[in-house]
Amino acid sequence: MSATPIVLVSSDNRVFDHVRWHATPAQYLEAVLYGSGAIPLMLPSLGGALDLETILDRVDGVLLTGSRSNVHPSLYGVEPDVKYEPYDEARDATTLPLIRLAIARGKPLLAICRGYQELNVALGGSLHTEIQEFDGRMDHRAPISDHQDERYAIRHRIEIVPGSCIGRIMESDEIAVNSLHRQGIAELSPRLAIEATAPDGTIEAVRVADAAGFAVGVQWHPEYWVGSDNASSRLFQAFGAAVRAEAAARLPQPLAAE
């Protein structure tokens, strides 16, 4: 007996036609479905109104998506400024406690871009607000284009820590990734371990060192190329294996024969 795993997917607050929506880009939902073999379930960003314990009882993993919005600077000790906007405080109020609870309960967790930054902040780390302004850093922002394939194009290599979780998944010490971010990890949470770095030293991947199972964050966007890029596919396959194991563990166990 088996069950298709269910993955909780974070959402943003957006306004379309003067109406507030809870929204998630399609590529994340499709990557969960086709790349991990799981059912994606969107979580509305309703903060403390949500019973996260009950929600996590019913799912097998958590995917934290990227977003144009940034984690609010007050959450990691930086003064807010209009140049760091846009923010989504309703999402912050939802995802940060979700992260801490999911890790405490051993739920598989994959955090991407904004979700990766949320992971660091939720566990006590901080962020650089505009890394392209630092001497010696690459410009990690997306190219200006109306074509998404150009914006999400694979752009630079990253070096993977030998023997790391990402290294075992990729079976390599180096892969090439895309880059669409202006913020990055400043002070690393004491609960996170570095898994990969860009040539300029930017931390590109982490894992939760004390997690009971799969708990990984990446700064790039593997969801976009999950159907055609080997490294992207490998990451979602590994996440899929973790959530399938979680789903199997939640199934009622057969009674022992007398």
Side-chain angles (χ1 to χ4, degrees):
M1 182 177 179
S2 63
T4 303
I6 299 172
V7 171
L8 199 63
V9 182
S10 61
S11 67
D12 302 326
N13 278 271
R14 295 293 181 92
V15 175
F16 302 111
D17 294 329
H18 309 289
V19 177
R20 189 166 68 92
W21 293 63
H22 297 275
T24 296
Q27 62 255 35
Y28 294 99
L29 304 174
E30 293 166 1
V32 168
L33 181 62
Y34 301 117
S36 296
I39 298 169
L41 180 66
M42 282 178 52
L43 177 70
S45 288
L46 296 173
L50 297 172
D51 181 351
L52 295 177
E53 288 276 7
T54 298
I55 293 168
L56 288 175
D57 284 342
R58 290 162 167 78
V59 301
D60 306 296
V62 174
L63 176 71
L64 301 168
T65 67
S67 175
R68 183 169 177 269
S69 68
N70 293 315
V71 178
H72 199 273
S74 64
L75 295 169
Y76 53 91
V78 171
E79 189 70 24
D81 192 293
V82 67
K83 70 179 181 179
Y84 306 147
E85 296 178 0
Y87 304 130
D88 187 343
E89 294 183 74
R91 171 166 168 159
D92 296 337
T94 306
T95 54
L96 270 61
L98 173 66
I99 289 166
R100 292 186 282 263
L101 187 57
I103 293 169
R105 295 188 51 169
K107 295 288 182 179
L109 174 71
L110 177 58
I112 295 173
C113 196
R114 187 199 208 272
Y116 165 83
Q117 295 164 11
E118 290 169 341
L119 175 62
N120 189 49
V121 172
L123 300 183
S126 65
L127 304 175
H128 289 309
T129 52
E130 303 289 337
I131 59 174
Q132 70 277 358
E133 296 178 357
F134 286 80
D135 288 341
R137 292 292 185 103
M138 302 160 49
D139 189 342
H140 287 262
R141 293 174 295 181
I144 298 173
S145 175
D146 292 331
H147 302 287
Q148 294 305 302
D149 283 1
E150 293 179 5
R151 297 185 69 249
Y152 284 85
I154 303 297
R155 291 178 55 202
H156 67 79
R157 66 182 178 84
I158 60 170
E159 297 177 2
I160 299 172
V161 175
S164 64
C165 177
I166 294 290
R168 292 191 296 273
I169 291 169
M170 302 301 171
E171 297 183 337
S172 176
D173 59 4
E174 182 178 297
I175 61 172
V177 301
N178 49 20
S179 189
L180 295 91
H181 62 104
R182 43 190 264 250
Q183 300 202 312
I185 288 178
E187 181 180 354
L188 184 70
S189 160
R191 296 182 61 187
L192 297 180
I194 296 173
E195 293 270 303
T197 56
D200 64 355
T202 298
I203 301 172
E204 289 277 347
V206 297
R207 65 179 169 84
V208 182
D210 59 355
F214 186 100
V216 169
V218 299
Q219 182 60 84
W220 69 92
H221 285 267
E223 79 288 346
Y224 194 84
W225 298 111
V226 70
S228 59
D229 174 62
N230 181 57
S232 300
S233 176
R234 280 175 175 265
L235 185 57
F236 272 92
Q237 287 174 8
F239 182 53
V243 297
R244 281 192 296 276
E246 178 71 14
R250 289 202 303 117
L251 287 174
Q253 299 301 308
L255 296 174
E258 294 184 0

